[in-house]
Amino acid sequence: MAINGAAPIDDGQRRARLGRRLLLAPAGWAARAEEVADAVVGLHASDPVTVYLSACARLREPSAAEVERALYDDVSLVKLLSMRRTLFAVTEEFAPYVSAAAARQIAAKERATLLKHLAEFAEGWSEARLAETERAVLAALAERGEATTAELAADVPALRETMLMSAGKPYEAKQSVGSRLLRLLASDGHVRRCRPRGSWLSSGYPWAPVEPWPEVPVREAKAEVVRRWLASYGPGTVEDVKWWTGWTLRDVRGALADVGAVEVAPAGGAAGLVLPGDEGPVAAPEPWAALLPALDPAVMGWRGRDWYLRPEDVPALFDRAGNAGPTVWWCGRVVGGWAQRADGEVVWRLFEDVGAGARAAVAAQAERLAAWLGEVRVTPRFRTPLERELSA
C-alpha cells in the first residue's frame, strides 16, 4: 500500500465524494431503497426509524412504503447484527458476505454469552437444552409461518423463562429467555424480522424462518466488505476501517491487502486509502443540503470526522455513548442539527453562518421531510442534547 504519485485528496475532494457516493446531492438520489443501501454499504438499523429516514433522504420520491416494500414485501433488504455488533439493513445480494465477514462471529459470541448467562442466572439450562429449544422454536415457526416471541412461547414454554440479571443491585432486571434466543437465531441466520404489527416506527417484530445464506469464504467476504466500504467512503484510514467494521487490526490489514488498497498522499492529515484506480479527482456536485437522521451512515461512516464535523459541535449532536443525533448538512459538512416537534414541525439550528442560499436549501429539505412524514412523529431512540432542546 505504498503512496502513489497522485495529487492529494484534500477535504474538499472528500466532501465531493461524500455528496456523490452517499447519494446526498439531489442529482444522485435513487429510485429504490436497495440502491441506497448498497451506496452506503448498509443502513444503520439499531433504531428502526433510521432505516426509513436515511433511505428517504436519498430517494427521489421518499416514502415509508418504498422502504417497507424492500424490507417486508420483496425481502430484498435484510437486517443483520454485523459490523461493530450493530444491526444493519443490507441488500439480499450483499447479505452472504456480511454474514460470513461479521455476523457469524458475532453469533458465536452471542451464543457463548447466552449460555453463560443461562448457567448463572437461570435454572436447568445446558447447551443441550438450548439446542433442543432452538429446534422446537424453528419447528413452531415453520408451522406458523410468522409469529412474535410471545406467540412462540405458547408453543415452546421454555421461552417464558427469565434470567434475573444483577440481582440485588439498583439496576437489577429480568431478561426473557425468549427475546435472547430469538435474537440469537436471527444472528445465526435462521430467522428474520417481519413487518411490525404496529407502525413502521415499531421495533416489535414478528419472526419468520429463512433459508440459509450461500456459503462464502470468510477471507473473500471480508475483502468484499472492505472493497465496498472504500468504494463509498474512501479515502479512509486503517483506523476508520477498523472502527467501522469492528474487526481486529490483523483482519483489517489483510482485507485491505486483498483488495489492493492504495495510499494517496496526505493532505493535512493521515494518508488515506482508496481502491486501485480511484486516486483521481471527483467533480463536486451542485451545492446541496440534507437533514439526516440519528445514526445515519454519513455521520457514522468514519472514526476520524474533523473534515466534516467540527469537534466543538460534537457534544450537542452526540450522546455519551457516541451515538449521533439528527444532523443538518451543507455541501459535505455537518453545520447544525434538527428535530421534529409534537405538532409535526421540523425545526433546525445552524452552528455557523453558511449564507442565505444554504439556509434556503436547508429550509427546503425540512419542508420535504415534513411533507413525506405527514402525520407521523419521529423521536430518535438515542436522544442527544440538541435534539431534546429543539423538540421541546
Side-chain angles (χ1 to χ4, degrees), residues 195-213:
R195 190 189 303 271
R197 298 284 171 87
S199 74
W200 57 265
L201 305 176
S202 172
S203 56
Y205 302 101
W207 303 93
V210 292
E211 293 296 321
W213 302 118

Side-chain angles (χ1 to χ4, degrees), residues 4-347:
N4 64 22
I9 297 180
D10 61 16
D11 288 352
Q13 263 293 295
R14 296 187 79 178
R15 293 171 191 144
R17 288 167 175 245
L18 185 154
R20 287 190 178 278
R21 296 181 178 182
L22 299 189
L23 308 187
L24 292 172
W29 286 347
R32 294 170 67 84
E34 296 90 340
E35 297 174 60
V36 175
D38 273 339
V40 300
V41 202
L43 292 159
H44 204 296
S46 295
D47 184 344
V49 172
T50 297
V51 177
Y52 290 83
L53 296 185
S54 290
C56 287
R58 297 165 168 88
L59 289 173
R60 290 195 290 271
E61 297 182 8
S63 74
E66 165 58 18
V67 183
E68 287 188 303
R69 173 199 60 76
L71 284 171
Y72 306 123
D73 296 334
D74 296 347
V75 197
S76 49
L77 283 185
V78 296
K79 293 181 179 180
L80 291 176
L81 192 65
S82 48
M83 287 73 72
R84 302 194 308 281
R85 199 174 168 274
T86 296
L87 201 63
F88 280 85
V90 300
T91 57
E92 187 179 23
E93 180 269 333
F94 187 36
Y97 296 92
V98 174
S99 177
R104 288 183 197 165
Q105 297 172 33
I106 292 169
K109 292 179 180 178
E110 289 282 310
R111 180 174 297 280
T113 300
L114 178 55
L115 282 168
K116 179 175 182 290
H117 287 171
L118 286 169
E120 292 179 0
F121 307 119
E123 295 182 2
W125 284 90
S126 63
E127 187 170 359
R129 188 186 177 200
L130 177 61
E132 179 185 354
T133 305
E134 287 179 292
R135 289 192 294 270
V137 168
L138 292 174
L141 200 54
E143 181 71 22
R144 287 176 175 266
E146 176 184 308
T148 65
T149 303
E151 289 167 344
L152 288 168
D155 302 322
V156 186
L159 297 181
R160 300 180 194 145
E161 297 186 28
T162 59
M163 297 178 287
L164 182 60
M165 315 295 289
S166 304
K169 298 182 180 179
Y171 46 88
E172 81 169 25
K174 285 186 177 181
Q175 285 191 3
S176 160
V177 171
S179 63
R180 290 284 297 273
L181 191 144
L182 266 297
R183 188 173 71 175
L184 175 60
L185 287 173
S187 298
D188 263 333
H190 295 301
V191 303
R192 66 174 177 86
R193 295 162 176 83
C194 301
R195 190 189 303 271
R197 298 284 171 87
S199 74
W200 57 265
L201 305 176
S202 172
S203 56
Y205 302 101
W207 303 93
V210 292
E211 293 296 321
W213 302 118
E215 290 291 330
V216 178
V218 172
R219 180 173 175 175
E220 177 185 338
K222 287 184 182 292
E224 178 63 10
V225 169
V226 167
R227 185 193 68 77
R228 290 183 181 231
W229 188 90
L230 286 175
S232 292
Y233 295 89
T237 64
V238 172
E239 290 73 23
D240 289 330
V241 181
K242 182 178 183 297
W243 176 84
W244 189 85
T245 57
W247 300 343
T248 66
L249 186 59
R250 180 179 179 179
D251 283 345
V252 168
R253 286 175 171 164
L256 288 167
D258 284 344
V259 300
V262 179
E263 281 189 356
V264 291
L273 299 167
V274 297
L275 289 174
D278 192 29
E279 304 93 331
V282 171
E286 291 295 315
W288 58 272
L291 271 65
L292 300 183
L295 300 172
D296 186 84
V299 75
M300 300 295 289
W302 298 264
R303 183 182 182 186
R305 299 167 179 156
D306 289 0
W307 58 276
Y308 64 91
L309 174 65
R310 300 189 310 181
E312 60 265 35
D313 298 331
V314 169
L317 294 172
F318 285 71
D319 70 9
R320 293 180 179 178
N323 298 303
T327 50
V328 175
W329 292 68
W330 174 244
C331 294
R333 293 193 305 118
V334 176
V335 295
W338 67 272
Q340 187 187 36
R341 290 183 174 157
D343 63 0
E345 181 184 8
V346 174
V347 294

